[in-house]
Amino acid sequence: MSLIAGNNTVKGTVNEEMSVEFALKMGKTLGTFYGSPIAVAVDGRNSNMMMKSALMAGIMSVGCDVVDLGMLPTPLIQFYMVLHPEIKGGVTITASFSGLDINGFRVMKSTGIEDPIFDKHSVEEILNHNTQVPGLEVGEVYVVTDFTEKYVDYILSEVDEELIRNAHLKVCVDCRNNVVANIVSNILMRLSIECITIGGDSSAVDEARMVKLGHIVKGQGMDLGVSLEMDADHCLFTTAEGTPVQGDKTFALLAQSILSFNKGNVVMPVNSSTLMEDVVRESGGTIQYCDIGEQSVVRYVKENSAVFGGDIFGCIVIPGPFCTCDAIEGMVRILEIVAKKGPLAQLVEPFPDYYISRTSMEYPDEQFPELLEKYKASVPGEKVDITGGVKIARANGWIIVRHSNVKGTIKVYTQSDTRESADAWVKETIDQLSKL
């Protein structure tokens, strides 16, 4: 595969296109763009030390210092950067939910704000970047080792610790790597929660992984299960009965809770389920739609002074001193709701099911606007929303066609009241686009 660039991420197969040579030039580019110092952290992939060494060498070679935060998920490096505004830029070495043979870079500017650097600079431009300073001017590395506890203190300060302790909950946590597992175990220990920690079989929080988690939760008599994506920016839950809970239902629980005491804007992408929209309106909130993708949710929460944001995939954004998609904070907030109101299955039982299907197809970026116009013209009389693409409303659902955050790719999403019709609409739409 070739390098895949999103807005603020780039990833590829390790020791192929995602090589130490690319990491070195990436470091040189970031040092030149942002200045000194730059914070660097890694997730739990076995290629990370190799990639980090090359990246840091590139940063130092252009005269910039490196703040080495070690093994931390992205929410924690962003939290560190908020507390240290002198940091000019940040990088997490991660490929998020991709397989372990894949790695990449997730880039932030000062105060941890996701930076759409790859919209401004192509991968080819980075590969051609080869400047450096004289030997006596190279940067240095400063290692930070005592930071995680500050983050844990902050997360626990946002909830009623005593309420959660008194609930005597038992939780099974599925973490794909020990970076997240160590932080979560620390939090649950301080909340007096009995915990089993397992390691998922895949990097993605997918259906198979959630079913496996559910079996363990039910078999061990736990109160609920939570699966955290490898970079701790998405999380999904299972009930005590082992049933996976759809991400829109988690969103609905949190929206109800937050809006009960803090009315305001709630941000959700255009592919959000009808349940999410209904719950926000019924709870007295105002919906602010955004383009699909966690960076869009975070940006819109900030720009619209929203009280909450999230999506159907387990992205949870709760504004505070730092504002990001934080699965660990989302987990703790759900624990607080369960401790206060009762079993998770009981809380989500009133919510109706909506089925969302999705797929993608390769298509040249420069030709996409023309294709989108043809698609709109092919559905006359339909109710159309053009936020981030084209959304066609139907009596029992909707269809979305949009440009992916990954270059050269079109995404298609559908929602219907049955899984079969949602899947059928996806196939029909792809066939229609292919003909157009």
Side-chain angles (χ1 to χ4, degrees), residues 102-145:
I102 308 296
N103 213 336
F105 304 106
R106 184 171 177 175
V107 181
M108 293 145 271
K109 52 188 175 182
S110 62
T111 66
I113 298 171
E114 307 272 9
D115 189 5
I117 185 172
F118 299 106
D119 286 345
K120 298 176 277 187
H121 305 280
S122 67
V123 170
E124 290 73 22
E125 184 180 346
I126 292 170
L127 286 170
N128 291 329
H129 196 98
N130 202 30
T131 60
Q132 55 194 30
V133 299
L136 294 178
E137 298 176 18
V138 299
E140 299 183 40
V141 176
Y142 299 91
V143 178
V144 176
T145 59

Side-chain angles (χ1 to χ4, degrees), residues 21-188:
E21 290 81 10
F22 177 77
L24 180 72
K25 291 186 176 181
M26 186 76 191
K28 291 182 175 183
T29 301
L30 296 178
T32 302
F33 288 167
Y34 293 128
S36 180
I38 292 178
V40 175
V42 301
D43 69 14
R45 296 165 196 271
N46 60 1
S47 61
N48 274 340
M49 292 309 298
M50 175 183 75
M51 302 305 293
K52 183 173 82 167
S53 297
L55 179 78
M56 292 198 308
I59 295 171
M60 296 164 67
S61 74
V62 295
C64 295
D65 295 335
V66 175
V67 177
D68 184 359
L69 297 177
M71 298 179 71
L72 289 179
T74 298
L76 273 80
I77 185 174
Q78 292 174 306
F79 184 65
Y80 182 88
M81 291 174 70
V82 167
L83 297 181
H84 297 272
E86 71 276 9
I87 303 292
K88 299 296 193 301
V91 190
T92 307
I93 302 177
T94 178
S96 196
F97 51 80
S98 299
L100 297 183
D101 60 326
I102 308 296
N103 213 336
F105 304 106
R106 184 171 177 175
V107 181
M108 293 145 271
K109 52 188 175 182
S110 62
T111 66
I113 298 171
E114 307 272 9
D115 189 5
I117 185 172
F118 299 106
D119 286 345
K120 298 176 277 187
H121 305 280
S122 67
V123 170
E124 290 73 22
E125 184 180 346
I126 292 170
L127 286 170
N128 291 329
H129 196 98
N130 202 30
T131 60
Q132 55 194 30
V133 299
L136 294 178
E137 298 176 18
V138 299
E140 299 183 40
V141 176
Y142 299 91
V143 178
V144 176
T145 59
D146 59 348
F147 167 66
T148 301
E149 204 65 31
K150 293 181 181 179
Y151 169 81
V152 172
D153 289 342
Y154 163 73
I155 293 297
L156 294 181
S157 73
E158 295 294 296
V159 296
D160 187 335
E161 295 183 58
E162 199 61 30
L163 172 72
I164 300 174
R165 290 192 189 96
N166 291 338
H168 305 293
L169 296 174
K170 294 184 288 185
V171 178
C172 183
V173 179
D174 172 13
C175 297
R176 188 60 184 84
N177 66 85
N178 61 0
V179 179
V180 178
N182 289 339
I183 299 166
V184 170
S185 296
N186 184 353
I187 289 174
L188 297 182

